[in-house]
Amino acid sequence: MTDQLSPAERFAASKSRRGLPRLDAFRSRLKFDLDPFQIAACAALERGSGVLVAAPTGAGKTIVAEFAVYLAMREPHAKVFYTAPMKALSNQKFQEFVAEYGASEVGLLTGDTNINSSARIVVMTTEVLRNMLYADSDLLSDLSFVVMDEVHYLADRFRGAVWEEVIIHLPREVRLVSLSATVSNAEEFGDWLQAVRGDNEVIVSEERPVPLDQHILMRTKLVDLFASSDRSALDPAGLAAITRVNPELVQMSRGGARASSARQGRSGGSRGSGGSRGGYHSGARPDDARMNRAGVISLLDGHNLLPAIFFIFSRVGCDQAVSQVLRAGARLTTTDERDEIREIVEERCRTLLDEDLAVLGYWEWLEGLERGVAAHHAGMLPAFKEVVEELYRRKLVKVVFATETLALGINMPARTVVLEKLEKFNGEARVPITPGEYTQLTGRAGRRGIDVEGHSVIQWQDGLDPQAVASLASRRTYPLNSSFRPTYNMAVNLIEQFGRQRTREVLESSFAQFQADRAVVDLARKVRSQQESLDGYAQAMQCHLGDFTEYAGIRRELTDLERKGAVRGDLQSRAERDKRQHQLQALRRRMKQHPCHACNDREAHARWSERWFKLKKQSDDLTRQIRSRTGAVARVFDRVTDVLMELDYLDRNEHGAVQLAPSGRMLKRIYGDRDLLVAECLRRGVWNDLDPAGLAAMAAALIYEPRRDEGQLSDRYLPKGAFRPALDATTDIWSRLDDLESKHKLPGSAPISTGLSLAMNRWAQGASLNSVLKDAELAAGDFVRLSKQTIDLLDQLSMVADAPVGPKARTALDLIRRGIVAYSSVA
């Protein structure tokens, strides 16, 4: 690498390394040299700064986090917390750090897993760290670094606020290492970090470590998307510097369109309007010559483009794809590889019960693995997903059909990424994928240190617009926007620490308000520029005979009344028509009597006044927006506080200052979307008569989010006994809270859904996995995920609630944590 540098560049590199002995020592341990952005970020850390690193997927951002761990471990007592948005990522990093530093130095905290929590390196989910900060945990002592992996999750509308809470409340002496995908406003985010954390450097890299070659699979031929494959025509990110579409592709697409039109003509015209609205497809039916999946795999294998990940935006679609490929006879492994696969699978799955294997589709799944093909999606059992990931990394599985969740940071790089469609269902309609999503998905292509380039393949469909695809593939960035909002739990925690007024100031330092204030600056600048135009218009419409603004107002009122009468017409009663006529006559008299009516330049003045009026309306709208955005977060906090005051979670001390009431001390330890509802139910004792299985069913109802088409279950599908009256009482409390939130202009929460309650009740009573999955109509992976969320809520109840609920919650938790729910790859 240094041989390619000029003498001046070598001198600059040598100079930059002076005074960075730990970075030099760290680099000497690596088998590869660092890229410039990695060196810059690590140097910032050694100089004592925090750092935000925004770089493409697979660029090697985590090496910066590893250097932060390295720095911490060079100190006698320093600790480092590594946070990740997903438990799968947390487990993966835990295992990597154990391999590097040994089990005694590494811990894992993910809500349902607690391993060596007092270790010097602790991997955790972001929510766990947030809870530790609010509880002022002893584990925070000697904390030197916090790594926030995938910090762009801050934009997630469900969980994003947690990232901001952590960033705001971490002690200032803790250095923050923020790792983000490439976002278009990294500098803005970095400015906010600088404002709330102090010294923080922003390192942005657009360069993919492995360039990306982009293709269209046109029938049976791979065609380059862009006109030039010459590397000199590509920018450092591996994208075409010019987005000129390959003329061959354009010609072939026109031929496909003509063939499609001919087919439609023979079949009697259009097939209807069921295509997507806008986006990358015109809605024409897929080409008859489109290759099946087995054929695509064979083509990729022939071009040495395996291993590959096929992204399919449907769990069922992923499973069906594996079945189709196996039925077609695909076999991508050798005899030795099949033996190794079976050995690994049996070792990883040895704790699963024999009677559950058939329910989980174990034998069909194993057959696919032995032939080098697998699915990967959230509906799969976590143990199965982990095995797929391991076999893929070992190059034993060659093709994975995955949903987009695989693109979120899990270490499964491919040589090729295949996109069968450029649309996905968002819960309401089929919509085109965004440039940001395309970047995340294709970021999996190209294995650093193995491939000289990665490949993305978009499978052709009639109606695909090559220019639209080229535009999508040429835009790499997307904006990072805050999703922060104050919650009840947040309010009581902050008021206890800072008091109400100081809390308002803390919330004003959120990224949400920072972005709103930035927008206000732009709006205010626009209002100022419009004011200059308004002053010019006002001067141009001045009349020497009188106040033309007043005269123009009469004319406008008259015009509006005439239009209103013309629109309503015969719909008016006789009395209404007479009243309107009198108003018109009075306005006409006022207009004619006004001095400006006699002005020779009246109509010229009127044209200027019309411009003034339109611009004044726009300017007033902008001013209203400024008022609504300034202090917006604090206003929501005030409404949250008012609700808590009304419910006696907050009260006032003898000096009139807002403080926590006894109930507030319970609420501060309850986390989740239904924090206030849980606190109210505990306070009113509506769950006291539930047995442990019934309490598990109630917790499941509070965490479960039903599908859009799923209504409330009838009583005969609910647990019997004390559950039903407890549910009625809980629903009544929810309804009253919803009314109160509406009164205070807060959004409220979704109704309670019991879709999981019967299944969770029966699981807690020892029912078989097969019967419970049938009751819940859930995939095994979903059931495990929801069970762990239920366990998390029960764990909170066991610590917060008095008897009888607290002890029953602990019993319920133990009853649920069995079988596939108890499985852990890191225990």
Side-chain angles (χ1 to χ4, degrees), residues 84-93 95 385-386 389 410:
M86 298 163 62
K87 290 180 182 178
L89 288 177
S90 297
N91 292 342
Q92 186 173 299
K93 294 308 299 183
Q95 291 164 343
K385 284 198 295 181
E386 291 166 10
E389 292 160 17
I410 296 173

Side-chain angles (χ1 to χ4, degrees), residues 488-659:
Y488 298 110
N489 170 274
M490 185 192 305
V492 293
N493 272 289
L494 294 182
I495 286 172
E496 184 183 48
Q497 286 188 41
F498 305 117
R500 182 173 186 173
Q501 185 53 43
R502 173 76 180 109
T503 293
R504 292 181 96 258
E505 295 170 8
V506 167
L507 295 178
E508 290 285 6
S509 69
S510 66
F511 187 45
Q513 191 59 55
F514 185 84
Q515 288 191 305
D517 290 342
R518 286 254 173 137
V520 163
V521 170
D522 293 336
L523 291 173
R525 188 182 299 118
K526 194 169 184 179
V527 167
R528 285 196 299 272
S529 68
Q530 288 183 346
Q531 188 58 50
E532 294 176 7
S533 299
L534 285 170
D535 293 342
Y537 294 164
Q539 188 171 357
M541 72 179 184
Q542 279 184 357
C543 179
H544 65 289
L545 296 179
D547 184 350
F548 201 89
T549 304
E550 181 183 66
Y551 176 73
I554 297 171
R555 281 177 58 137
R556 176 163 293 281
E557 190 177 351
L558 180 61
T559 302
D560 288 345
L561 193 58
E562 287 172 340
R563 285 176 181 163
K564 198 176 294 180
V567 170
R568 297 194 62 184
D570 296 337
L571 297 176
Q572 292 177 316
S573 67
R574 174 72 178 272
E576 288 175 325
R577 285 198 298 272
D578 288 345
K579 180 182 177 182
R580 185 176 62 83
Q581 202 58 40
H582 287 307
Q583 290 174 325
L584 288 171
Q585 289 172 358
L587 285 170
R588 287 178 184 133
R589 276 196 305 272
R590 284 180 60 199
M591 184 181 70
K592 290 178 181 178
Q593 290 169 0
H594 197 282
C596 293
H597 192 66
C599 179
N600 292 333
D601 295 325
R602 181 184 69 202
E603 294 310 311
H605 293 330
R607 284 192 293 273
W608 285 111
S609 75
E610 188 65 24
R611 294 175 188 173
W612 182 90
F613 179 84
K614 288 181 178 177
L615 191 59
K616 182 69 166 67
K617 186 173 183 300
Q618 292 176 15
S619 187
D620 289 346
D621 288 342
L622 291 175
T623 302
R624 278 191 291 273
Q625 287 186 48
I626 290 172
R627 283 200 297 269
S628 70
R629 294 187 185 197
T630 304
V633 175
R635 273 200 303 280
V636 174
F637 167 72
D638 287 340
R639 293 168 189 162
V640 166
T641 303
D642 290 343
V643 169
L644 294 172
M645 292 282 288
E646 195 163 332
L647 293 172
D648 297 325
Y649 287 91
L650 299 172
D651 56 24
R652 295 185 183 275
N653 62 21
E654 64 273 15
H655 305 295
V658 174
Q659 64 178 10

Side-chain angles (χ1 to χ4, degrees), residues 376-428:
H376 188 289
H377 56 72
M380 293 172 61
L381 191 67
F384 285 10
K385 284 198 295 181
E386 291 166 10
V387 169
V388 171
E389 292 160 17
E390 180 177 353
L391 294 178
Y392 190 84
R393 286 195 293 270
R394 293 191 181 203
K395 306 176 190 176
L396 297 171
V397 164
K398 313 299 172 63
V399 172
V400 171
F401 294 96
T403 56
E404 64 210 279
T405 55
L406 188 146
L408 298 174
I410 296 173
N411 181 25
M412 282 182 65
R415 176 164 293 175
T416 304
V417 163
V418 180
L419 299 178
E420 296 186 349
K421 294 181 180 178
L422 295 177
E423 302 166 335
K424 67 174 185 176
F425 186 68
N426 68 355
E428 296 180 357

Side-chain angles (χ1 to χ4, degrees), residues 11 140 226 320 518 560:
F11 175 77
L140 296 168
F226 294 108
Q320 289 176 342
R518 286 254 173 137
D560 288 345

Side-chain angles (χ1 to χ4, degrees), residues 114-131:
N114 185 332
I115 299 173
N116 199 16
S117 60
S118 59
R120 292 183 60 194
I121 306 166
V122 185
V123 182
M124 62 186 67
T125 54
T126 318
E127 282 83 356
V128 169
L129 178 54
R130 186 271 312 272
N131 299 352

